[in-house]
């Protein structure tokens, strides 16, 4: 049957004009027409047969073409007609209709007519996707005519030609048409070849890996690709995982892992692409930074979810690395791919056993995005609840011991033995022993030639062990916030007898207690000792907890510091030398808030990065509504407390970046909220450990991010209005962190080669050089030169190794301490300095 549209033109003109008049009565504007209130549409048009409706759609399309020029110019009449026709076509397409082949062709041809004065394509105005759905409905169970096939191929070609930037929806629509055509041209059992369709840096290599699969296996992978394309939600459906498992079993677990891990590794190594947008033939400085295209994210996400069926160490390690890569921040954009990263977190959670939880625990210490941390903690809590244990306990249970015995692992390569030994936190060594027992420093050639796979496994294990000791050190350091208590039996079984955790806890001080007594003891060489060097049996006590110096007297803390210094014992994290913040008289008087850290000027990006790294919820402030102030928050669930740190934007001299984010913020109050009642707490009721740890964090933010620490800030212009702050901070009173640093320096300086020309005063390390005498501020590390207190600017070269590498410190390195020592060593020999940027200042008197 041929198309019979022209004969109805007069009737269509009349009905359309009636619709225009009815719509005008409803609203003066046609932006969103409610067709249920348009009587001619409901009483006449909807009652026509489908062929007549098809002819009317062609008519409406021609109305759009004829009125578009007036619509663009703002003609009221043309705008109303164009918008009414544009909205009426998809309204008609919402009902399933039966059209002749000729009517389909007529509708398509009408949609191809060029809109006047329009540089873009008609299909941004015409519902081509709804049109295609009608084709799907009409030819679902019958052969597709050649004319319709040709039309669909033309549609595909046209869609490819008109898209400048391929959106996810458009690419999926094109893929949908291709699948429909494939099904019409092949047997039902045939599987359509399916590839990564997103245009990004991964597509080519991803499809190349797919093409390298043997032909007899490719169909299985195409089936999985089609399933993975449906992975658009936050979590996988049970149906998706079940359907995938059947095909995965046909492929085989080893083959599945080999391909998917190759893909995942390519994504882990993938770099962002930067494209410059061009508008109206003129290039603007506007860059689009992309990691993965949205369609490819969905597919990779699907395969990550499918990987939850496996729980071997390599799969989980790869998924964990992929998660870390996805949450890596792209400047001015945010996480590289939060959706894919969340899929990785789900897979780690859903995997069998506790290894996935161990990776979640590690990621919890690495990732800084607040929403992501909340999700990780939710998954860990759910896993703990299933086992009936606490959050802390499941993190203990999830730590792999790597089968370490006495903190060592032995590998045999025929007659060659490799011994991996833990040496320090984050570091281990491998020693090679020949058959005769002699040691060889490098990897024997025989091992390289004959045991390549086993050698790679050894090195991977070493990397995982080093990573785990670092992660657990951070976890126990954070645990000092919670005052966690364990039974002695649990402590011995889960921690002391654990091959790896027992190493991390070496040199850590514990509080051992019963209902009536307690004592402090350090775990040293698998034994416990008091600060008087007496052996302690923890079996005489019922409970054990990490010792926090805020709970002990000044004398007790000094004893332990002396113990560490005399024995040259370096703790894995700051414990005995941890900064302690006790309530001051001023804070007692202010009752509900502390101003101790108020009125500082911080570099905002540096402060927010530090805050998130310490698990605070903080956001960047900017020149937008609501961007003037923020309340950073730290949850302390062990005490049912939320700590708040107030900051305000520093709107001075237009100091914001290209995105409108303020360069600087000023600090304000610190408060504590009872999370059970949501009431503001009086500071005297805040537990000492919680108070001290919160103040320590904020002191860290100020101590690192303050502009007073930047030796170039004043010289580079800074903020002229606030230069007095820079001077007062750079050479003012010492913070608790600086006071601790001073105590260490008192023990270090006498052991340095510059001891004879160096001494410590109230706030400075004073160094007498050949040319001048220098005062290095112990807090900011900035320098004044005598006799006139002239400022000396020395910018530290971060590429040079710490000067304190060969000096004993009772805790892991303090960067500020390193800077002070390196500056002191440099200035003591000021006559040997050759850097003109320094000598020009020294010689200027």
């Amino acid at each position: 049957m041929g198309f019979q549209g022209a004969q109805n033109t007069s009737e269509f003109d009349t009905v359309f004009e009636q619709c225009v008049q009815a719509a005008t009565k409803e609203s003066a504007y046609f932006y969103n027409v409610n067709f249920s209130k348009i009587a001619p549409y409901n009483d006449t048009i909807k009652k026509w047969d489908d062929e007549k409706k098809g002819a009317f759609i062609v008519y409406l399309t021609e109305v759009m073409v004829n009125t578009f020029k007036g619509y663009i110019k703002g003609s009221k009449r043309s705008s109303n007609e164009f918008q009414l026709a544009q909205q009426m076509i998809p309204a008609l397409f919402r009902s399933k209709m039966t059209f002749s082949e000729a009517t389909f062709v007529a509708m398509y041809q009408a949609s191809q007519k060029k809109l006047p004065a329009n540089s873009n394509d008609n299909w941004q105005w015409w519902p081509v996707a709804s049109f295609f759905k009608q084709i799907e409905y009409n030819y679902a169970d019958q052969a597709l005519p050649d004319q319709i096939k040709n039309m669909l191929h033309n549609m595909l070609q046209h869609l490819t030609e008109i898209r400048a930037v391929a959106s996810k929806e458009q690419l999926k629509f094109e893929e949908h048409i291709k699948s429909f055509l494939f099904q019409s041209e092949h047997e039902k059992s045939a599987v359509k070849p399916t590839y990564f369709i997103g245009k990004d840096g991964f597509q080519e290599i991803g499809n190349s890996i797919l093409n390298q699969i043997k032909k007899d296996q490719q169909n299985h992978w195409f089936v999985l690709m089609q399933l993975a394309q449906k992975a658009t939600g936050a979590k996988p459906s049970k149906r998706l995982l079940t359907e995938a498992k059947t095909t995965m079993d046909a492929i085989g677990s080893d083959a599945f892992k080999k391909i998917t891990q190759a893909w995942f590794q390519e994504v882990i190594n993938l770099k962002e692409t930067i494209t410059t947008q061009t508008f109206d033939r003129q290039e603007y400085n506007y860059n689009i930074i992309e990691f993965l295209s949205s369609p490819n994210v969905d597919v990779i996400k699907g395969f990550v979810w499918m990987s939850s069926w496996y729980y071997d160490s390599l799969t989980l390690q790869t998924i964990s690395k992929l998660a870390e890569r996805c949450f890596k921040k792209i400047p001015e954009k945010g996480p590289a791919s939060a959706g894919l990263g969340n899929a990785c977190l789900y897979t780690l959670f859903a995997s069998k056993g506790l290894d996935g939880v161990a990776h979640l625990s590690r990621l919890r210490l690495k990732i800084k995005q607040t929403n992501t941390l909340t999700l990780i903690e939710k998954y860990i809590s759910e896993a703990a609840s299933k086992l009936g244990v606490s959050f802390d306990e499941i993190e203990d249970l999830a730590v792999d011991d790597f089968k370490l015995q006495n903190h060592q692992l032995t590998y045999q390569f025929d007659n060659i033995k490799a011994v991996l030994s833990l040496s320090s936190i984050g570091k281990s060594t491998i020693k090679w022993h020949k058959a005769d027992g002699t040691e060889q420093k490098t990897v024997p050639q025989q091992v390289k030639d004959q045991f390549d796979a086993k050698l790679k496994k050894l090195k991977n294990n070493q990397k995982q062990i080093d990573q785990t000791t670092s992660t657990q050190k951070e976890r126990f350091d954070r645990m000092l916030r919670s005052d966690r208590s364990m039974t002695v039996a649990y402590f011995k079984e889960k921690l002391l007898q654990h091959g790896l955790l027992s190493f991390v806890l070496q040199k850590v001080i514990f509080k051992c207690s019963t209902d009536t007594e307690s004592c402090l003891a350090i775990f040293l060489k698998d034994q416990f000792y008091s600060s008087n060097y007496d052996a302690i049996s923890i079996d005489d006590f019922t409970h054990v907890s990490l010792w926090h110096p805020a709970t002990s007297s000044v004398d007790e803390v000094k004893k332990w510091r002396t113990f560490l210094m005399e024995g040259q014992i370096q703790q894995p994290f700051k414990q005995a030398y941890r900064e302690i913040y006790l309530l001051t008289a001023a804070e007692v008087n202010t009752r509900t808030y502390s101003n101790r850290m108020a009125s500082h000027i911080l570099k905002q990006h540096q402060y927010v990065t530090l805050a998130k790294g310490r698990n605070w919820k903080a956001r960047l402030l900017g020149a937008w509504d609501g961007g003037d102030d923020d309340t950073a928050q730290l949850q302390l669930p062990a005490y049912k407390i939320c700590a708040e740190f107030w900051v305000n934007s520093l709107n001075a001299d237009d100091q914001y970046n290209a995105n409108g984010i303020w360069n600087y913020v000023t600090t304000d109050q610190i408060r504590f909220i009872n999370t059970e009642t949501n009431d503001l707490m009086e500071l005297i009721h805040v537990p000492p450990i919680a108070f001290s740890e919160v103040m320590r964090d904020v002191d860290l933010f100020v101590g690192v991010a303050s502009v007073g620490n930047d030796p170039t800030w004043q010289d580079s212009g800074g903020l002229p209005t606030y230069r007095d702050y820079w001077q007062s901070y750079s050479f003012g009173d010492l913070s608790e962190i600086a006071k601790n640093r001073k105590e260490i320096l008192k023990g270090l300086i006498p052991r340095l080669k510059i001891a004879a020309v160096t001494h410590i005063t109230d706030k400075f390390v004073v160094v007498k050089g050949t040319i001048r005498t220098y005062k290095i501020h112990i807090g900011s590390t900035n320098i004044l030169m005598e006799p006139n207190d002239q400022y000396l600017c020395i910018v530290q070269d971060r590429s040079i190794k710490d000067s304190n590498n060969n000096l004993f410190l009772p805790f892991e390195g303090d960067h500020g301490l390193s800077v002070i020592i390196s500056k002191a060593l440099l200035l003591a020999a000021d006559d040997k300095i050759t850097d003109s940027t320094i000598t020009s200042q020294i010689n200027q008197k």
Side-chain angles (χ1 to χ4, degrees), residues 167-234:
S167 69
K168 172 181 174 179
E169 291 73 20
Q170 186 167 340
L171 287 171
K172 287 202 167 186
F173 177 48
E174 291 173 22
E175 197 66 16
H176 194 170
I177 297 173
K178 291 175 185 177
S179 295
F180 184 72
L181 283 167
F182 181 87
Q183 290 165 6
S184 71
E185 296 166 354
H186 295 81
E187 297 292 329
K188 283 189 176 182
S189 59
V191 179
K192 174 185 169 291
T194 308
Y195 292 90
F196 292 99
I197 60 175
K199 308 299 181 183
D200 55 31
F202 170 78
Q203 183 190 32
E204 184 177 349
I205 185 65
N207 288 336
S208 173
I209 292 171
L210 196 54
N211 281 327
Q212 290 171 22
I213 298 171
K214 292 180 180 179
K215 296 296 182 184
D216 61 339
Q217 288 289 304
Q218 271 193 340
N219 279 352
H220 294 314
W221 283 98
F222 293 150
V223 169
L224 291 182
M225 287 288 293
Q226 290 168 22
L227 281 173
Q229 286 180 342
K230 301 174 184 177
T232 57

Side-chain angles (χ1 to χ4, degrees), residues 50-104:
D50 291 348
E51 276 295 308
K52 192 169 183 178
K53 288 177 184 175
F56 188 57
I57 289 171
V58 173
Y59 169 85
L60 292 172
T61 304
E62 291 171 346
V63 169
M64 289 176 62
V65 173
N66 295 330
T67 59
F68 184 79
K69 192 171 183 179
Y71 166 68
I72 292 296
K73 290 184 175 181
S75 163
K76 181 71 174 175
R77 176 71 185 183
S78 294
S79 294
N80 287 349
E81 290 184 2
F82 179 86
Q83 291 180 88
L84 184 66
Q86 182 195 13
Q87 295 175 60
M88 196 177 288
I89 296 172
L92 288 166
F93 274 147
R94 287 191 191 104
S95 301
K96 293 179 179 178
M97 294 180 282
T98 303
F99 296 125
S100 66
E101 184 178 333
T103 299
F104 272 124

Side-chain angles (χ1 to χ4, degrees), residues 373-421:
L373 289 173
T374 301
L375 181 61
I376 291 173
E377 289 168 0
K378 173 179 174 287
Y379 282 148
I380 296 176
S381 295
E382 285 184 22
S385 179
K386 287 179 182 178
L387 292 178
V389 297
S390 70
F391 192 100
D392 285 326
E393 287 170 342
I394 197 168
E395 287 198 301
D396 292 338
L397 297 172
V399 181
D400 194 344
D401 66 0
F402 297 95
K403 300 180 180 178
L404 288 160
Q405 297 291 330
N406 299 318
H407 309 143
Q408 291 185 335
L409 265 180
T410 300
Y411 290 78
Q412 202 70 39
F413 298 83
D414 276 354
N415 59 347
I416 298 172
K417 184 170 68 174
V419 179
L420 185 154
S421 302

Side-chain angles (χ1 to χ4, degrees), residues 413-414 416 443-455:
F413 298 83
D414 276 354
I416 298 172
V443 180
Q445 191 61 44
Q446 179 187 346
V447 174
K448 292 179 181 179
D449 294 340
Q450 300 178 17
F451 301 96
D452 182 60
K454 192 173 181 180
L455 179 61

